[in-house]
Amino acid sequence: MSRLSEFAVGKRSVTLLLAAALFIAGISAWGALQQELLPNISLPIITVIAPFPGAGASDVADAVTKPIERAIGGVPRLESISSSSANSISLVVAQFSYGTDVKETTATIESNLQQAKLPASVSAQVSALDINASPVIIAAVAAKSGTALADAGAIVTKEIQPALLGLDGVASVDVAGGEEQQILVTLDAQKMSDAGVTAAQVTGVLAANNLTVPSGQIVGNGLRIPVSTIGQISTLDEIKSLVVGMKLPAGSGGTTAPAGSAAPGASAPAGSA
């Protein structure tokens, strides 16, 4: 029999006191443990998304992706880097060793990108992978029939989303999917050529008539109420009634008036089937 066993048998009272002390210490330590249902974990993974509108995949790789990779390659504690270049966008994912200060590393990458000589139209977005940013609850709303899909989308945006935003502790509610009404304007190339109207004129008229701009303020009773001029196209008839240009009578030069001018003459519709 070992000395420890002999001591435990011979000094029963001391053994019981030690056991009780260990039990009480264990209970106290358990109560002091830091526990969270969703712990704040910072993974050392940083992504860089850089849109380059209108550029092909090869141009994106040469002008955007490679400079970003060089900017990230000199950052300490880098373990791996992967990239993907597609039409009009570049995606670079960098993984660092665990224990890396994510905030400091993100700031370093942003500073390096400012000196990476990216194209002027490229604005790179640097973000760290944040588990806490993931949705806590995901709910799906389905329509019972295909014709009720628009009604289901309206219920979600007008009733369910505002109700969820009103709950305590809810930071944001995002809605994806659903059916939205759109109007497709198809241009007739032959008619536009005969009328001397360009696609840029049609686009300019549609944009100018579907624009809301601030118009000042109304001051009264100590209040300042902002006023906006609302120009919004809401029906198909409003699009059909837009005047893109006019054709002057023969002998007057045969030029086309500026886009959006409303004057007597043969007008070219914004769109024709």
Side-chain angles (χ1 to χ4, degrees), residues 3-265:
R3 295 183 179 180
L4 182 61
S5 299
E6 293 178 355
F7 177 81
V9 173
K11 305 290 184 179
R12 296 181 180 179
S13 58
V14 177
T15 303
L16 292 175
L17 288 175
L18 290 175
L22 291 175
F23 177 77
I24 295 174
I27 294 295
S28 301
W30 177 78
L33 288 176
Q34 300 294 328
Q35 299 181 7
E36 292 185 18
L37 181 61
L38 296 174
N40 187 11
I41 300 176
S42 297
L43 296 178
I45 300 176
I46 297 177
T47 60
V48 180
I49 300 176
F52 192 11
S58 59
D59 295 332
V60 171
D62 294 335
V64 180
T65 303
K66 291 182 179 178
I68 292 177
E69 290 178 344
R70 288 194 294 267
I72 299 177
V75 179
R77 303 176 67 90
L78 177 65
E79 288 191 347
S80 64
I81 183 171
S82 60
S83 62
S84 175
S85 301
N87 293 337
S88 302
I89 193 168
S90 169
L91 173 63
V92 180
V93 180
Q95 182 173 354
F96 296 83
S97 59
Y98 284 94
T100 301
D101 190 332
V102 177
K103 291 184 178 180
E104 182 179 351
T105 303
T106 302
T108 302
I109 293 176
E110 292 177 345
S111 177
N112 292 349
L113 289 177
Q114 294 178 358
Q115 304 174 4
K117 296 181 180 180
L118 297 174
S121 60
V122 174
S123 178
Q125 301 176 358
V126 183
S127 60
L129 181 62
D130 187 2
I131 296 180
N132 297 323
S134 303
V136 178
I137 298 176
I138 300 177
V141 179
K144 294 184 178 180
S145 63
T147 57
L149 184 59
D151 297 334
I155 292 174
V156 171
T157 55
K158 296 180 180 179
E159 298 181 17
I160 298 179
Q161 186 179 18
L164 293 177
L165 287 172
L167 298 177
D168 293 337
V170 176
S172 63
V173 178
D174 298 326
V175 178
E179 188 178 73
E180 296 181 359
Q181 188 177 14
Q182 295 181 343
I183 297 176
L184 178 63
V185 178
T186 304
L187 304 179
D188 191 316
Q190 185 60 46
K191 291 182 178 180
M192 291 175 61
S193 177
D194 295 340
V197 175
T198 64
Q201 287 178 290
V202 178
T203 304
V205 170
L206 290 173
N209 287 272
N210 195 38
L211 183 65
T212 300
V213 295
S215 303
Q217 297 179 342
I218 298 178
V219 181
N221 297 328
L223 299 176
R224 294 180 178 270
I225 303 175
V227 178
S228 299
T229 301
I230 301 176
Q232 185 174 4
I233 299 175
S234 57
T235 64
L236 183 60
D237 292 335
E238 292 180 358
I239 295 180
K240 291 181 178 180
S241 63
L242 293 177
V243 177
V244 179
M246 71 174 186
K247 184 183 296 183
L248 299 178
S252 60
T255 58
T256 303
S261 59

